[in-house]
Amino acid sequence: MEITYLSEIPSGEEAIITKVLGHGAFRKRITEMGFVKGKKVTVIKNAPLQDPVEYEIMGYKVSLRRSEAEMVEVVSVEEAKNLSGIEFNGVIDEETLKKSAIQKGKVINVALVGNPNCGKTTLFNYASGAHERVGNYSGVTVDAKEATMKKEGYTFRIVDLPGTYSITEYSPEELYVRKHITEKHPDIVINVVDASNLERNLFLTTQLIDMNIKVVIALNMYDELEDKGAKFNYTALGEMIGIPFIPTVASKGKGIDELFAKLIEVYEEQDPTVRHIHVNYGLSIEKAINDIQHEIWKNPAIRVQLSSRFVAIKLLETDKTMLEWLRKFDNYENIKVVAEKAIATLEKEYGERSETIITDAKYGFIDGALKETYRQAKADKRKTKRELDDILTHRFWGFPIFFFFMWLMFQATFTLGSYPMDWIDAGVGALSEWLQSIMPAGPVRDLVIDGIIGGCGGVIVFLPNILILFFFISLMEDTGYMARASFIMDKLMHKIGLHGKSFIPLVMGFGCNVPAIMATRTLDNRKDRILTMIITPFMSCSARLPVYVLLISAIFPENQGLVLFSIYIIGIFLAIVTALIMKKIAFAKKEVPFVMELPPYRIPTLRNTTIHMWHKGQQYLRKMGTVILFASILIWALGYFPRNVEYSQDYDAQIAAVEANTQLSNDTKAEQIQFYEVEKESERQEQSYIGRMGHAIEPIISPLGYDWKMGVSIITGLAAKEIVVSTMGILYQADMKADENSQTLQTKIKEQKHRTGVLNGQEVFTPLVSFGFMIFILIYFPCVAVIAAIKKEANWGWALFTMVYTTGIAWIMAFLVYQIGSLF
């Protein structure tokens, strides 16, 4: 349902008002003139210069500027017809129009705003049923997430905005939140406040008060406040600042219904608590604000869009973004002069920078308000948590503990994942065998069994490993340990030219590189963001995991966790070396201070951890049902055609000769026939379209010890790394039958031998080649989605650079592993 504004209604047409936006005096004046929900307004005509516009409402005429009319939401007659749900016979009465306006007026636009770690996204997930990522560290939500829910006859459009400590212009997420509130005009802002950290969280609340918008505070994690034994009279504080407080425990769903009931009350203006107050900053600051406001008031167009007090305070904070926004207004220069004079006066009086003066005044207000309403518990209940930090962030023990957790995660991925992996493998084999028995022989059966099941079935068996990996990553995030890992790694990150906060996007890259690239938005310095982006692909994402699991299970049956761990460590080592080189070449820069919150340790809920794990599983399955399915069919077709090929020898005659030989036993016959059939199929495949592609790139990959099938797998893996396994499943003809003579893909790759060249007759997948192949898959060309993310966050230049340099390093590393290893 699109939003229509009064400014968009053509001359001569009618509409019904659904909402009036705007602030303060403008909103009061326009509603007193009759612009209220349910009233019909007619557009009479535009002025000769198209502004202002003349309207008729309640029997009299009134003119509004277009900028003012943009603050009035309406429902057109055409939309009212669609909303009314009745048959339209050319005439629609005024009462139906009003009902339609009221119906549309029951759509409440809500923005969720709060500090990182306050439980904002948890609340969003619980309330809306969405499954967005929740993490116990700064910067998980780096874009707005939207959801719709219905409650008590109202439709709530909820937007989960990035976590931010304020709405200044210090970081991209702060500007993003501010822009959303000032441009999208949500009906109500839910300010999610961490009840266990009131003073810091209420700083953002004071900025929302300055904006003169409707706010409801979700006092989240209220159980932690009660557990500490603290006493908080939130009702009294709510009456003091004109904002209602609703205690919630979002992780358990407590208080959510009460919160949305309060939203309806506030939206319908039935809550007596809600009123606009001014945070008193003291005589000198208030005079400075008032002086700037007087100049702002001379241009009503500014007041229509933003609270004049908010604009004045931002100017006192020397906010460049606000100054730039004002540039389009006629009295910009006068406002700028008045603001500069006020800043100079304040700085001379206080001996501080003006933004510091405002911040101190805000915290002074918060301190005074909490002294009247909040009583801290005498006993320090966080002692055990501090003791835990003493161990986990210890200067000597911190690193071994971190690496132990990482090793444990990878070992569990194999050990725990092997059981469900075998069950799924057997299920895929049974399905393949059943289809083989009921479908007639021909291309369709070959497509279904060799193409779809051979490709997708070869990938789905690794779903348990993916789920276990994400379960462990989620546990580390939700407990707050990931932020500690960032803390202990800061000095090392600093040495390679990165900020400690870069560590979090890099660790997120173990799950998926795409959200990791997006998470670099939380870094304040552009050079930090780009450098983190171009080394993130070295973090081995879960899409590469099926390749590792396949080869490690087949070629390295012992020390599986250790081999996998070494692959990840090599990726981290290459990221460090690349960062050091890039720092010298392109990213020499001024240092950025390490400022990052270390959130309290929290016991993760099984619900949130499981939701995150399953959400990633769904993404994996969706990819398997789209990209991987399409790729599997394409690869099968390229390998299946052309059917008429010229063989180097007459395999059919040789098979017939074996069958006619009465001196051979049945077992010997079967063995020889199978040999000729495999030889025939291998030669046919080499002459297929995909075989020709593979042989074309053989000169490039043969120094790495690879055969042409591995080369084809590398090419198809450009789209998504899971396709490497599905390609191998098709090209190596993995037999998915469940009988005792069947050969899975693991068995098949162990038996592969080179058919041409100097390596003719030798095994393809030796431990050396397999390890080199895993290194190549780790490093080369990130998937198309990652390249798109880098292009979006940086530009095409960095995206193209990433494609070229990662593939070049991959070839060099695989070459060194194979050639140097062959010497021993």
Side-chain angles (χ1 to χ4, degrees), residues 22-152:
H23 301 272
F26 161 75
R27 195 172 190 278
K28 186 172 184 294
R29 179 173 63 86
I30 201 169
T31 51
E32 286 172 350
M33 291 166 64
F35 285 81
V36 293
K37 183 164 64 176
K39 293 296 178 184
K40 183 174 76 171
V41 58
T42 307
V43 185
I44 305 299
K45 64 177 183 293
N46 293 305
L49 296 177
Q50 303 301 304
D51 203 12
V53 182
E54 183 181 339
Y55 299 97
E56 183 177 333
I57 189 167
M58 295 173 67
Y60 71 99
K61 294 183 175 64
V62 61
S63 69
L64 293 178
R65 290 192 181 94
R66 284 193 175 276
S67 60
E68 295 171 334
E70 284 174 359
M71 296 290 111
V72 181
E73 285 186 23
V74 297
V75 57
S76 65
V77 172
E78 188 62 32
E79 196 175 354
K81 175 190 72 172
N82 296 330
L83 284 167
S84 65
I86 63 170
E87 189 176 349
F88 182 64
N89 296 314
V91 177
I92 187 165
D93 61 31
E94 193 168 320
E95 193 59 36
T96 305
L97 281 171
K98 287 181 181 179
K99 284 178 182 175
S100 297
I102 291 166
Q103 183 183 338
K104 188 173 182 184
K106 287 198 169 188
V107 176
I108 305 176
N109 298 306
V110 178
L112 280 172
V113 174
N115 286 194
N117 311 314
C118 68
K120 179 172 53 63
T121 303
T122 306
L123 190 150
F124 174 79
N125 287 346
Y126 199 97
S128 65
H131 298 152
E132 292 306 333
R133 179 69 199 100
V134 181
N136 190 10
Y137 57 85
S138 170
V140 176
T141 311
V142 289
D143 210 339
K145 308 292 189 301
E146 298 184 24
T148 302
M149 63 170 286
K150 293 185 183 292
K151 204 168 188 68
E152 296 181 27

Side-chain angles (χ1 to χ4, degrees), residues 441-505:
V444 175
R445 189 177 78 172
D446 292 343
L447 167 63
V448 172
I449 294 170
D450 298 332
I452 297 173
I453 296 179
C456 295
V459 174
I460 196 173
V461 295
F462 301 107
L463 178 62
N465 306 91
I466 301 288
L467 294 176
I468 291 167
L469 180 70
F470 275 110
F471 182 81
F472 273 89
I473 290 176
S474 182
L475 275 180
M476 287 199 291
E477 291 170 350
D478 293 347
T479 54
Y481 178 70
M482 199 66 85
R484 269 72 186 179
S486 181
F487 171 76
I488 65 174
M489 294 296 288
D490 177 60
K491 191 162 186 178
L492 286 178
M493 301 297 284
H494 180 78
K495 294 285 186 189
I496 65 172
L498 282 173
H499 193 283
K501 284 171 75 174
S502 296
F503 185 70
I504 285 173

